[in-house]
């Protein structure tokens, strides 16, 4: 077989008690070992090696995730196999590279993947992840087999020309609105030619009733998501859910301080450190943000929403909140708490104040930031949706 690499050999096998003769091509085992990989946002991706295919009994196609990194770590774990990006099959590294170059920075895209070692996830799973090219240069590495030192060479992978960038979606919506305005109105004759439309009763869109404090605060309330990779953990309190993953997540709420300037107030439980990717979502608007100010003692963080690219809408981000200077609560008072549920939806709930006292804030070990020297309002019961 060693002398017949790349050629066909005759093979006789016994299948079901019958002799079957087949011709097979002899492959070079060294070619089945990856000699190229792509480095994207601290993630490493290469072709499926034959050792993995043999161990888990999977075909030699797809992209093996050696390390998920910042982009794919949100939904895909290490040791997974990527099968497609945005519906485009990724059977080899060349197809994976071509699909990545079609995705602009900070845009969400779909990824189809499977986990060979899992009985529950051996079939293709679909997830949404966010492209984050600004964390590191996206590079393709290749091993030089001719050089005696077997050195690695790399080349930069950018976004291909003509790829839709941020802000194009808004322009497309404006164009769609212009086309709708330019469309001719329907005349009674044209409506009579489609009786099935007239026969169907018109349904009024149901509007959810928002009352009380939620109605006043909702235009100024946004969901905040913080994500970072494990090696960037400097001041995070890692729970069991995040401990096993390649990325760390924190989710919470924010309040719009200045809609025109794009200033958001949140807490250090939601945004525990500066190094990470921050995303704020208010209604249907989703924007990236960065830390403008972090209080050194108390749990106060001010975020600055990133400006939209050229051609984007210059509308304010939400509505600026108004704060009352004197709103002291006493034990026994009824208050209405407004926040975000685990799905990022605003909610409100009326609760009673149990007591007002100095808070007992837990100290962390190893030593990390924790709240201190602050008066706390203790509620009679915990909110059910937070």
């Amino acid at each position: 077989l060693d002398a017949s690499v790349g050629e066909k050999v005759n093979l006789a096998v016994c299948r079901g008690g019958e002799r079957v003769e087949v011709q097979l091509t002899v492959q070079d085992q060294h070619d089945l070992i990856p000699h190229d990989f792509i480095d994207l946002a601290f993630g490493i991706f290469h072709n499926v090696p034959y050792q993995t295919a043999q161990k888990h009994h999977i075909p030699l196609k797809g992209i093996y995730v050696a390390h998920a990194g910042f982009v794919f770590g949100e939904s895909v774990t290490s040791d997974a196999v990527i099968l497609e990006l945005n519906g485009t099959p990724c059977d080899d590294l060349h197809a994976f590279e071509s699909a990545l170059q079609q995705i602009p920075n900070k845009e969400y895209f779909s990824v189809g993947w499977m986990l060979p070692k899992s009985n529950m996830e051996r079939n293709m799973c679909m997830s949404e992840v966010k492209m984050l090219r600004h964390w590191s240069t996206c590079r393709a590495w290749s091993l030089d087999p001719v050089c005696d030192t077997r050195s690695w060479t790399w080349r930069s992978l950018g976004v291909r020309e003509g790829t839709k960038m941020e802000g194009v979606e808004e322009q497309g919506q404006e164009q769609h609105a212009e086309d709708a305005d330019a469309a001719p109105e329907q005349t009674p004759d044209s409506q009579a030619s489609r009786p099935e439309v007239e026969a169907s009763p018109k349904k009024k869109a149901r509007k959810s009733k928002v009352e009380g404090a939620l109605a006043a605060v909702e235009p100024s309330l946004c969901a905040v998501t913080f994500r970072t990779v494990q090696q960037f953990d400097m001041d995070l309190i890692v729970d069991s859910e995040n401990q096993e993953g390649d990325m760390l997540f924190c989710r919470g709420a924010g309040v719009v301080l200045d809609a025109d300037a794009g200033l958001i107030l949140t807490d250090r439980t939601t945004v525990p450190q500066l190094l990470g990717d921050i995303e704020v979502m208010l209604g249907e608007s989703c924007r990236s943000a960065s830390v403008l100010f972090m209080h050194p003692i108390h749990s106060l963080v001010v975020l600055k929403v990133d400006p939209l690219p050229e051609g984007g809408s210059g509308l304010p981000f939400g509505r600026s909140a108004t704060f009352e200077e004197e709103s002291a609560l006493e034990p026994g008072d009824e208050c209405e708490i407004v926040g975000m549920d685990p799905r990022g939806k605003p909610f409100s709930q009326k609760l009673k104040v149990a007591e007002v006292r100095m808070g007992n804030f837990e100290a962390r070990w190893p030593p990390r930031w924790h709240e201190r020297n602050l008066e706390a309002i203790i509620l009679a019961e915990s909110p059910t949706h937070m």
Side-chain angles (χ1 to χ4, degrees):
L1 292 178
D2 292 340
S4 304
V5 173
E7 301 177 358
K8 292 185 178 181
V9 295
N10 296 322
L11 183 66
V13 297
C14 182
R15 179 67 59 84
E18 297 183 1
R19 178 186 175 91
V20 179
E21 294 187 0
V22 294
Q23 272 194 342
L24 299 178
T25 303
V26 180
Q27 292 183 300
D28 189 352
Q29 194 174 32
H30 293 285
D31 291 340
L32 303 181
I33 301 174
H35 293 83
D36 307 272
F37 68 90
I38 288 179
D39 172 14
L40 171 64
F42 308 105
I44 303 297
F45 312 90
H46 54 73
N47 289 327
V48 175
Y50 83 94
Q51 296 95 332
T52 301
Q54 183 184 37
K55 179 180 178 180
H56 300 291
H57 196 64
I58 60 174
L60 277 169
K61 66 177 182 179
I63 303 302
Y64 181 77
V65 182
H67 191 74
F70 227 119
V71 176
F72 292 92
E74 183 173 354
S75 301
V76 182
T77 61
S78 298
D79 297 329
V81 176
I82 296 175
L83 303 176
E84 63 176 47
L85 296 181
N86 276 344
T88 303
C90 298
D91 294 338
D92 53 30
L93 200 63
H94 178 73
F96 182 68
E97 175 185 330
S98 178
L100 286 178
Q101 290 180 310
Q102 303 294 332
I103 304 171
N105 191 31
K106 297 184 180 180
E107 182 174 296
Y108 280 91
F109 61 97
S110 63
V111 52
W113 57 277
M114 55 92 71
L115 194 60
K117 63 182 181 182
S118 172
N119 293 330
M120 302 296 296
E121 297 174 328
R122 280 184 65 91
N123 295 325
M124 186 169 68
C125 306
M126 298 300 300
S127 302
E128 294 284 332
V129 296
K130 183 181 180 182
M131 177 59 72
L132 300 170
R133 297 181 181 272
H134 52 276
W135 284 103
S136 66
T137 303
C138 181
R139 296 175 291 187
W141 293 80
S142 299
L143 179 64
D144 188 0
V146 179
C147 183
D148 296 335
T149 59
R150 295 183 62 83
S151 61
W152 290 86
T153 57
W154 64 273
R155 53 187 174 84
S156 178
L157 297 180
V159 181
R160 287 184 178 175
E161 295 183 1
T163 302
K164 179 176 74 67
M165 300 300 292
E166 294 175 286
V168 177
E169 182 178 356
E170 289 83 357
Q171 297 175 4
Q173 292 176 352
E174 294 174 1
Q175 182 66 34
H176 179 74
E178 293 175 0
D179 295 343
D181 295 338
E185 297 183 356
Q186 290 185 345
T187 62
D189 296 337
S190 62
Q191 293 179 358
S193 62
R194 296 190 297 172
E196 66 277 7
V197 177
E198 292 182 353
S200 59
K202 294 182 179 179
K203 295 183 180 180
K204 294 183 178 180
R206 292 190 298 177
K207 297 182 179 179
S208 59
K209 272 192 174 183
V210 180
E211 300 175 345
L214 182 59
V217 178
E218 188 175 16
S220 306
L221 192 66
C222 58
V224 181
T225 302
F226 173 87
R227 56 173 71 91
T228 189
V229 288
Q230 292 277 5
Q231 56 262 42
F232 285 174
D233 174 15
M234 297 187 298
D235 203 12
L236 274 74
I237 306 300
V238 182
D239 54 16
S240 57
E241 181 182 355
N242 284 328
Q243 196 167 10
E244 299 298 330
D246 294 315
M247 292 189 67
L248 303 174
F249 294 90
C250 298
R251 294 180 175 88
V255 178
V256 179
L257 294 179
D258 191 328
D260 295 325
L263 300 182
I264 309 294
L265 176 65
T266 186
D267 57 273
R268 288 192 65 160
T269 303
T270 304
V271 181
Q273 62 183 36
L274 280 69
L275 191 55
D277 179 71
I278 305 171
E279 188 176 78
V280 294
M281 187 170 186
L282 197 155
E284 299 298 327
S285 179
C286 185
R287 302 272 290 277
S288 297
S290 57
V291 176
L292 180 65
F293 170 76
M294 179 174 289
H295 200 284
I297 300 176
H298 298 302
S299 182
L300 295 172
V301 180
V302 178
L303 305 178
K304 171 72 174 177
V305 177
D306 294 345
L308 288 172
E310 296 182 3
S313 173
L315 297 176
F317 187 76
R319 187 178 69 188
S320 302
T322 303
F323 296 89
E324 295 183 5
E325 294 184 3
E326 298 182 1
S327 57
L329 293 174
E330 300 293 338
D333 291 349
E334 187 179 67
C335 64
E336 189 171 358
I337 184 171
V338 179
M340 289 287 182
D341 63 13
R343 297 178 299 172
K345 302 296 182 181
F347 78 95
S348 64
Q349 184 178 355
K350 292 184 178 181
L351 299 169
K352 284 189 176 182
V353 177
E355 56 179 323
V356 179
R357 58 171 171 79
M358 293 298 294
N360 296 324
F361 301 103
E362 179 185 0
R364 305 291 181 179
W365 186 262
R368 298 194 177 198
W369 174 89
H370 67 279
E371 188 64 86
R372 67 194 72 186
N373 301 331
L374 196 67
E375 191 177 53
I377 299 173
I378 311 301
L379 300 176
E381 54 181 317
S382 300
T384 55
H385 300 287
M386 187 174 290

